[in-house]
Amino acid sequence: MIYLPIAEMPVNVALILLVSGAVGFVSGLVGVGGGFIMTPTLMFLGVPPPVAVATGASQIAATSFSGIMTQTRRKSVDWRMGMLLSIGGILGSASGVWLFEQLLRLGQLDLLISLLYLVLLSSVGGLMLAENYQIWRGRKTRGVSILRRPARTIAHTLPLRMAFPRSGLYISVIPPLVLGYGVGALSGVMGIGGGFILIPAMIYLLRMPTNVVVGTSLFQVLIVSSLVVILQSARTQTVDLVLAALLMLGGVFGAQLGALVGARLNNEQVRGILGALLVAASLFFLYELVSPPAERFVLAGGLW
Amino acid sequence: MRAAIAALAFALLTSSVHAQERPPASELPAAVAEEQIAVGSDYRGSQITVFGVNPDRRGRGDVVVVVRGPTESVTIMRKRQVFGLWVNGDPVTFSEAPTFFAVLSNRPLRSIANAQAIWRYRLDPAASAELASAVPAGADPSAYRAALVQLRRAQNLYQEHSGRASSGRSGLTTYQGGLFRAIVRLPANAPIAQYNADAYVFRNGELISSQRIPINIERVGIERRIHDLATQASWLYGVLTVLLALGAGWLAAFLFRRT
C-alpha cells in the first residue's frame, strides 16, 4: 500500500502495477494507445475522475514517446504534418482543460465523461467487431484491411494548401488543424491520447500513406498529452506524481511486452476480443446513465 | 503505552483539582494523545485519542467529545431524469460544512442535550452546514441537509457514536473518578488539515465545562515535498511529470529495442 499525495487515498502498489501492465499489454497487443481503457479503469478502482484523467495523460505521454523512438528509427514520422496536428492539438487541449474545469465547477463533468466514453467505446468496439465479422464472413482477405481510400477529399479542395513531402501530399492546412484541435480537446477532457480517432481520420480524410500514419499520430499524441499534463497540473492540480510513476512503469513495459506477443498472435482474434470488451464496457457506462440511481443526491462542486 | 495512559490520567486527575475552583462552564481538563499526526507514504488512516476528566468529583454529568475537520462550502445535487438519462441537477450549496465530524458521547446525544443545545454547540454534523444558496423550487432544504450527512457518513467522514469504542469503530468510555477516553478512527480519506477536538461536560442538559484542543495532521517526507511542489510550483511540477514520462518511455524503448 502507498498513499497517493494528490488523490489523497492509499492504493495497493501491486494492483496498480498489475492493472497498468495489463492495460499496457492489451494496448501493445492491438496497437492502440490504451488511454481510453486506462482512465475508466482508474475511476473504477476509486481514483477520483479528475485525478484519473489528468494522471492518465502522463502515462500516455510515456507510451507514445516509447513508440515514437521506434518509429523515428524507421523514418516514419511526417514532421511537418505532425507539427500542424500538434498546433491544432495544443489549442484543442487548452480548450479541453478549460471545459474540464468549467464542468467540474458545474457538477456536470461526470455526465460528459460518461457520455463521451459511451459513444467512443461503443463505436470503436463496434467497428472492431464489424471488421471481424466481415473477415469471418470471408468478404475480406486476411491481413490489415485499409482499402479503397477516396481519391480526393475535402482536404484537397480547401484553400491554404501546402506540400507534405514525406506523405507525398499537397493538401489544405485546415483539416489537419481542425482534426488536431478536436482530438486535443477530447484528450483534455477524457485523458485519452486519441490515436484511435486520429489514425482513421488521417488515412481516410487526409489520405496519408499508412506507413507514416502511426508515427505521425504518435508525435501529435505525445505533444498533446504532455501539454495536458502541464496544463492540468497548473490549473486543477490533479496530476498525482506517485500514481503517474506507477502507471508509467506498468504501462510502458506492458505495452512493449504486448507488442512482442502481438507480433506472433492472430491479430483479428485479438481485435475481436478487445472489440467485445469495449462494447461491454460501454454498456456499463450506458447502464450507469439510464438505471435509477440508488442514491438520488450527489456531492459536487469541489474537486471530488 | 499503558504506563503513558496511566501517567496522563494521573496528570489529568491532579489538574482537575484546580479546575474545581473555577466558576461553572470552566475549562475542562482534557488532552489529545496525538497532537501531531504524520501522513507519510504508508499512511492508511489514523486515530485520535482524547482524554479528559469530568470536573465533578462524583462523576455526575455526561461527556460529549467532538472532533471537527476544517469547514468548506459544499454543493449537493439531485439526480433527475433528462431524456432517459440520470443527470445531476437542482444544486444546493451549504457554506461551512465540516469536512470531517465525529461526535462521541457516553450515552445517546439526544438524551444528554436538547435540540437547541445540540444546535447551539454544533454537536450535530448538519448543524454547522449553513444554507448558502437559493433552494430550487419545490425542493426541501432539509432533504439536502440530510443527504449531505448521509453521503459523508457513507464515506466514514461523519461519525456519530454513543458508548465504547470497538475495533474499527470510534467510541467513548468513562472510567471511575470521572476519567473519560474517546477514540476517533480517522479514515485515510479524511482531509489533511488542522483539526480540533472539543470535549464537553453536560449536567441536566446544561453545558458546565468544555475545552478545545488543536490537532495537526501534516504530510511528512516525500508526500509533503510532492504536495508542496504540486501546489506551490505547479508549472514546474507538470514539466517534471512530463520529463518523468519521457524518461520512462525512453527506458522502455531502449530496453526492448529489437537488434
Side-chain angles (χ1 to χ4, degrees), chain A residues 8 108 239 289 296 298 300, chain B residues 75 77 79 86 88 219 237:
Chain A
E8 297 195 345
Q108 299 298 353
V239 176
L289 280 168
R296 287 289 300 271
V298 287
Chain B
T75 302
M77 298 177 93
K79 285 190 182 285
W86 288 92
N88 297 346
R219 294 179 173 82
Y237 177 84

Side-chain angles (χ1 to χ4, degrees), chain A residues 2-3 5 8 58 62 65-66 69 106-108 226 233-234 239 241 253 256 289-293 296-300, chain B residues 40-41 43 74-79 85-86 88 147 188 192 219 223 230-231 234-235 237-238 241-242 245-246 249-250 256:
Chain A
I2 189 163
Y3 187 80
E8 297 195 345
S58 66
F65 188 64
S66 162
M69 300 269 296
L106 288 172
Q108 299 298 353
S226 304
S233 298
V239 176
L241 193 53
F253 286 102
Q256 296 283 354
L289 280 168
V290 299
S291 69
R296 287 289 300 271
F297 292 93
V298 287
L299 284 166
Chain B
S41 54
Y43 184 70
V74 63
T75 302
I76 302 285
M77 298 177 93
R78 192 173 57 185
K79 285 190 182 285
L85 304 179
W86 288 92
N88 297 346
I192 296 164
R219 294 179 173 82
E223 297 286 313
T231 50
S234 49
W235 287 96
Y237 177 84
T241 312
V242 169
L246 298 186
W250 177 83
F256 285 83

Side-chain angles (χ1 to χ4, degrees), chain B residues 2-23:
Chain B
R2 192 167 285 269
I5 292 172
L8 185 62
F10 180 74
L12 291 168
L13 279 168
T14 48
S15 67
S16 74
V17 175
H18 302 286
Q20 283 277 293
E21 293 157 12
R22 289 183 197 162

